[in-house]
Amino acid sequence: MSGPEWLAEPRRIRRGAALTLVFASVLATGAATGSWSEEPPEGRNPAPSTRSVASSRDSGRERDPAEEAADAAAEAMADGKSGKKAAEDVVSRSGDRWASVYSQGEYREFEQSLDGAYTGVGLWARRAADGRIEVSRVQRGGPADRAGIREGDKLTAIDGKKVTGRPVTDVVALLRGDRENTPVTLGLKRATRAWTETLRRARLSTDSVTVTRLRGGAVMIKVAAFTKGSGKAVREAVRRAPRGAGVLLDLRGNSGGLVSEATTASSAILDGGLVATYDVRGRQRALHAKQGGDTERPVVALVDGGTMSAAELLTGALQDRGRAVVVGTRTFGKGSVQMPSKLPDGSVAELTVGHYRTPSGKAVDGRGITPDLEVEDGAQERAETVLSGLGPPS
């Protein structure tokens, strides 16, 4: 899902039909949270299946939160109550900070956002350490941009509901909608000014990859989120860059997205090899880049506290393998794997089932990635200076 009104978390590593590696931002959600944004989640599971809970009951083994959520939803529905609300209560007690419950419509929209489009107001948001939700990016030309909302503004309420301290996924769900032109009222704060703004949702394209020519012939590739096709776009951008030109890979504010796309992006500048390892309920898996990437041109990766999930996975791979100098501030620290489970009422619960590590075995979740050169103010200028001094990789 920081992401645009969507979580900026890589949402799933695909395993069969149901594995997801979540990045921490919410599409219109932001880093995710950390930040979620109206950005797509990392990973995609088009058809999560309903879990069976009978076997665990009969066997006496400890039941996991997904099974408890399914039971709670079924019991609530039998009593004429909301199955989704009952599942949310179970999930909130699980202590899983990245867990979330979506209605059918919300989950459908979430999945569609991974295709590079979403219905929202054009905001990326993330949760600060103090629990406040702040705008990490504003999509140019979107409803939020036209209303004058800026990066750094604090988001205090959505349709009268306070959002401070809430999971980014919840914030994203409130920002997004199934239909265009529906209103949403935001409570905002900037320095000493507090105000409300009513916006109308629109169908927006994420435009997740943009390319800019820098001084001296270098190229900056900005990846806002790892949506469908973004990995291929990064590879094409590297291929089209002038021969020998350096690449500044800007992952600031990238709340994550599809892990497969981040892996494809790594293949642009790695000649095969390990990108990350991850576990799912104790079983180990690995992600590898494809061979044939450009290993000659110098690369600098630019990151910040809004760099999450799948974006952290890519950063860690490039840093550990000596393929890029990482410049900026410590990344968010979203390195968990979520698996979606369909509940009896059609809603979907996503719960953490594992974590991923960089090629050298470093954990990311709760720690983030420390840049090789830590710079807060003027990070891009410093990154460009570093890039200009790099020769071809040895």
Side-chain angles (χ1 to χ4, degrees):
M1 174 342 198
S2 47
E5 299 151 43
W6 64 301
L7 217 49
E9 310 172 346
R11 242 178 151 51
R12 4 191 125 41
I13 290 183
R14 196 174 163 103
R15 174 182 178 240
L19 212 260
T20 294
L21 181 49
V22 178
F23 43 110
S25 244
V26 181
L27 203 83
T29 92
T33 351
S35 57
W36 249 108
S37 56
E38 254 166 330
E39 307 178 8
E42 310 168 315
R44 175 171 191 166
N45 173 22
S49 59
T50 303
R51 298 176 62 88
S52 170
V53 300
S55 60
S56 64
R57 252 191 207 145
D58 298 340
S59 66
R61 70 170 173 80
E62 183 178 351
R63 298 169 63 228
D64 66 27
E67 295 170 334
E68 293 183 18
D71 268 359
E75 291 171 7
M77 292 171 63
D79 292 336
K81 300 177 182 178
S82 169
K84 178 175 181 286
K85 179 62 168 61
E88 288 174 338
D89 290 342
V90 170
V91 168
S92 67
R93 295 194 299 269
S94 71
D96 185 345
R97 68 180 299 201
W98 300 118
S100 55
V101 179
Y102 300 89
S103 67
Q104 279 185 300
E106 290 168 346
Y107 197 75
R108 186 183 312 114
E109 181 70 15
F110 181 71
E111 291 290 301
Q112 289 174 351
S113 70
L114 291 173
D115 290 330
Y118 66 97
T119 301
V121 298
L123 287 183
W124 278 254
R126 61 172 168 246
R127 191 174 65 196
D130 61 3
R132 292 186 298 173
I133 303 296
E134 63 182 26
V135 175
S136 61
R137 187 157 71 91
V138 180
Q139 183 162 339
R140 184 178 302 176
D145 181 38
R146 294 195 298 271
I149 297 172
R150 304 175 190 169
E151 178 181 339
D153 287 346
K154 303 299 185 295
L155 187 59
T156 60
I158 300 174
D159 286 336
K161 299 177 181 178
K162 293 182 179 180
V163 297
T164 298
R166 298 186 68 163
V168 178
T169 46
D170 288 357
V171 176
V172 174
L174 291 171
L175 285 169
R176 294 169 57 200
D178 293 331
R179 292 179 299 162
E180 299 177 48
N181 206 38
T182 53
V184 58
T185 300
L186 310 184
L188 297 153
K189 186 174 183 180
R190 180 187 303 159
T192 59
R193 179 193 174 199
W195 79 104
T196 60
E197 195 79 52
T198 298
L199 309 176
R200 289 195 170 272
R201 298 179 177 93
R203 191 66 178 168
L204 302 170
S205 169
T206 57
D207 293 330
S208 59
V209 179
T210 55
V211 182
T212 306
R213 183 70 63 86
L214 302 175
R215 291 171 298 176
V219 171
M220 181 167 73
I221 303 174
K222 169 71 176 176
V223 187
F226 285 105
T227 56
K228 186 176 180 180
S230 59
K232 182 178 179 180
V234 170
R235 294 183 64 175
E236 184 66 12
V238 171
R239 189 185 70 79
R240 290 175 174 270
R243 184 179 179 84
V247 168
L248 178 57
L249 184 62
D250 188 356
L251 299 175
R252 291 174 297 177
N254 184 319
S255 58
L258 294 165
V259 172
S260 59
E261 294 295 338
T263 303
T264 297
S266 75
S267 300
I269 46 182
L270 292 174
D271 185 16
L274 186 64
V275 174
T277 59
Y278 62 98
D279 62 278
V280 179
R281 295 199 169 102
R283 300 185 65 184
Q284 299 300 310
R285 300 284 190 277
L287 298 169
H288 294 87
K290 291 184 178 180
Q291 294 182 330
D294 187 334
T295 60
E296 296 301 317
R297 61 178 83 242
V299 180
V300 169
L302 187 55
V303 300
D304 65 5
T307 303
M308 303 171 64
S309 201
E312 291 179 284
L313 180 151
L314 174 58
T315 302
L318 299 181
Q319 184 183 59
D320 278 8
R321 297 185 56 185
R323 188 59 189 92
V325 175
V326 180
V327 177
T329 56
R330 182 186 292 270
T331 62
F332 182 79
K334 171 69 173 68
S336 56
V337 178
Q338 277 70 39
M339 181 177 288
S341 297
K342 192 172 182 180
L343 303 178
D345 64 348
S347 58
V348 176
E350 288 205 333
L351 302 167
T352 300
V353 296
H355 299 82
Y356 69 78
R357 293 177 178 270
T358 68
S360 67
K362 291 183 293 188
V364 174
D365 203 52
R367 301 179 183 183
I369 293 172
T370 301
D372 300 303
L373 177 61
E374 294 194 63
V375 182
E376 188 163 355
D377 297 327
Q380 182 173 327
E381 291 74 13
R382 288 293 298 278
E384 290 183 35
T385 299
V386 170
L387 184 61
S388 67
L390 294 177
S394 57

